[in-house]
Amino acid sequence: MTQTPHLTGSLEFCLDQLRQQTVIAYPTEAVFGLGCDPDSESAVMALLALKQRPVEKGLILIAADYSQLEPYISDRELSVIQREQMLASWPGPVTWVVPVPPHTPRWLSGRFDSLAIRVTDHPLVQSLCREFGKPLVSTSANLSGAEPCRNVAEVQQQFGAHFPVLHGETGGRNNPSEIRDVISGQLIRQG
């Protein structure tokens, strides 16, 4: 029995690409994101090269739920109040910077002892993370110096017609996610 290829732009197609350690684009709350398997150094390095982003800057992980993020962070370093404040903002467009244990790969945390994490409320990204079984690296889909992509056509214009992209709409927000430090409560980027 021959297997039929998955339709380009479908969830199944993008899952296949992720399993092959390929970088994909997908809609998020405000803009399209670029993502890949956070456990694949080669996939993360390909994403960073595509973005022309230095590894030292660190990355964001986006997930369907908090349990997907726990292996990458030091949950035990959070107070009950810090954890409750973070969890109360999810799912949604708030990214939190959280301490990481020593085993978290430097290709994710960069020069920091922390990692930016978010539980998304975008249904397509939730499905992607659930089916993939873990979070995705998430950074805005744009080439260095270009505006972030807000639709499939813009992704294909910047990255090429054959770039793997999950077809769908963004969540309609104008601004990328707010970023806060979970320990200090400090606002790092306005949402």
Side-chain angles (χ1 to χ4, degrees):
M1 183 185 229
T2 58
Q3 191 150 17
T4 55
H6 295 301
L7 192 62
T8 302
S10 70
L11 185 69
E12 293 77 18
F13 173 79
C14 290
L15 286 164
D16 286 346
Q17 297 298 304
L18 288 170
R19 291 180 186 119
Q20 293 171 39
Q21 302 180 6
T22 301
V23 177
I24 67 164
Y26 53 89
T28 71
E29 292 88 344
V31 298
F32 270 71
L34 290 179
C36 65
D37 182 343
D39 298 321
S40 168
E41 184 176 8
S42 63
V44 173
M45 290 304 166
L47 182 147
L48 292 171
L50 198 59
K51 283 275 294 188
Q52 299 174 352
R53 179 184 174 97
V55 69
E56 296 78 29
K57 282 180 115 176
L59 291 161
I60 294 175
L61 291 187
I62 191 170
D65 57 57
Y66 186 58
S67 66
Q68 289 189 326
L69 297 164
E70 286 182 288
Y72 301 90
I73 62 168
S74 290
D75 178 79
R76 70 186 186 290
E77 290 186 39
L78 306 183
S79 71
V80 170
I81 291 169
Q82 289 165 337
R83 187 178 305 103
E84 284 176 357
Q85 183 182 22
M86 181 175 67
L87 294 176
S89 72
W90 288 337
V94 180
T95 297
W96 291 90
V97 176
V98 179
V100 293
H103 69 262
T104 297
R106 285 287 163 202
W107 65 77
L108 295 176
S109 60
R111 69 176 184 272
F112 305 103
D113 293 322
S114 59
L115 186 62
I117 59 172
R118 180 166 89 247
V119 174
T120 182
D121 63 359
H122 195 290
L124 279 175
V125 185
Q126 286 180 337
S127 295
L128 196 58
C129 291
R130 267 196 207 97
E131 293 291 322
F132 192 47
K134 59 176 134 177
L136 298 177
V137 168
S138 187
T139 185
S140 60
N142 60 294
L143 296 171
S144 186
E147 283 294 310
C149 300
R150 294 190 180 265
N151 57 51
V152 172
E154 289 178 8
V155 172
Q156 291 174 332
Q157 189 177 6
Q158 284 194 42
F159 296 98
H162 300 294
F163 194 85
V165 56
L166 179 60
H167 288 215
E169 302 293 321
T170 62
R173 289 181 48 88
N174 290 328
N175 298 325
S177 65
E178 174 179 298
I179 301 179
R180 292 190 167 274
D181 185 295
V182 76
I183 302 297
S184 68
Q186 176 189 359
L187 179 67
I188 297 168
R189 178 177 81 189
Q190 187 71 48

